[in-house]
Amino acid sequence: MENTFIGKRVLLAFPDEKGLLLSSKLADEMALVCAGKTKSFEEAAAFLTQDECDFVFMSVVLPLLPVKSEDKDIFDLPLYKRPAVLFFAPENAGDVMLSAYVPTVKLPCRIEDAIKAMDEIYPVRVKDKDVQKAREILKRMGFPEHPAREYIAYACALSFNDRSVVRNLKRSVYPALARAFSKKETAFQDPMRRLIDKTFLSGDIENQYRLFGNSIDETRGKPTVSQLIALVSEMLRMGKA
C-alpha cells in the first residue's frame, strides 16, 4: 500500500519507554515528522493546544490511566485542530482491549497495517452517529427527506463538535461539506436556504416558535442557516436527539 502520509506530523503518546521507542521507529520508517513525545493525557492535550499535529500514535493503556485534570482531553479540541488518533496495543493484547478503541493495531506492526488504519481516520471527520442524531431532529422539525437535509445534518454534527464553525459558514462549513459530498463549496448555501424556507412555510408554526423563540426573523418567519445549525447542534449537546 502506498504511503500517502510522508511528512505528516505525529505526536507519540505512550506511558512507557518501550512504546515510545517502537512507535518512534515506526514513525521514522514511515517518514513521518515526530512533533513530540508525551506520557500522559494531560501532556498530550497541553501539547496539542499549542502545536497542531495530523496524527497521535497513542497507547491503549493511556486513556485508562488516571487523569488529574478533567478538562485535559484531546477529543474536546475543535475539529480543525483535532488530530486523528491511532491506538496501539501490546502484541499479547486480547480482543477486549483491541475492541475498546478504534482503530487499534498491535505494536510492533507492519507499515502496511499502520497506513491502512491511518487511511480510515484521516482527515478527521464528524461521527456518523452525530449526523444520524441531527437527521432525526430535523425530521421531527418537519424537514422532508432531501439532499439539502443531509447537508444541514452534516453541518449540525460539525457544529456539535466545534461551536465556532457557525460564525463563518463560508470558511468552515461549506469547505467541510465540499469534502464530504464531493461538490463545489458554492453548491450548498442555496439548497439549504430553499429547504429551510419551504419547511418553515408549511411546517408547524407554533412548534417552530417554541424551538426558536425570538431567534426567528419576525419579517421572514424562519431562521437563517446558521441559526438552524446552531440550534440543532445545541440540542445534540443537550441530548435531545
Side-chain angles (χ1 to χ4, degrees), residues 154-199:
Y154 190 93
C156 293
L158 188 70
S159 178
F160 168 65
N161 283 278
D162 183 358
R163 283 185 173 93
S164 67
V165 299
V166 293
R167 298 174 191 163
N168 194 324
L169 300 184
K170 289 183 178 180
R171 186 180 67 185
S172 301
V173 173
Y174 299 145
L177 289 172
R179 291 191 297 271
F181 293 93
S182 300
K183 293 178 177 289
K184 294 182 179 179
E185 293 180 15
T186 55
F188 302 99
Q189 184 175 8
D190 288 345
M192 290 194 294
R193 177 72 268 165
R194 287 195 296 268
L195 185 61
I196 292 173
D197 290 350
K198 179 180 178 180
T199 301

Side-chain angles (χ1 to χ4, degrees), residues 21 36 74 111 121 192 198 241:
L21 180 63
I74 63 175
I111 291 178
I121 57 175
M192 290 194 294
K198 179 180 178 180

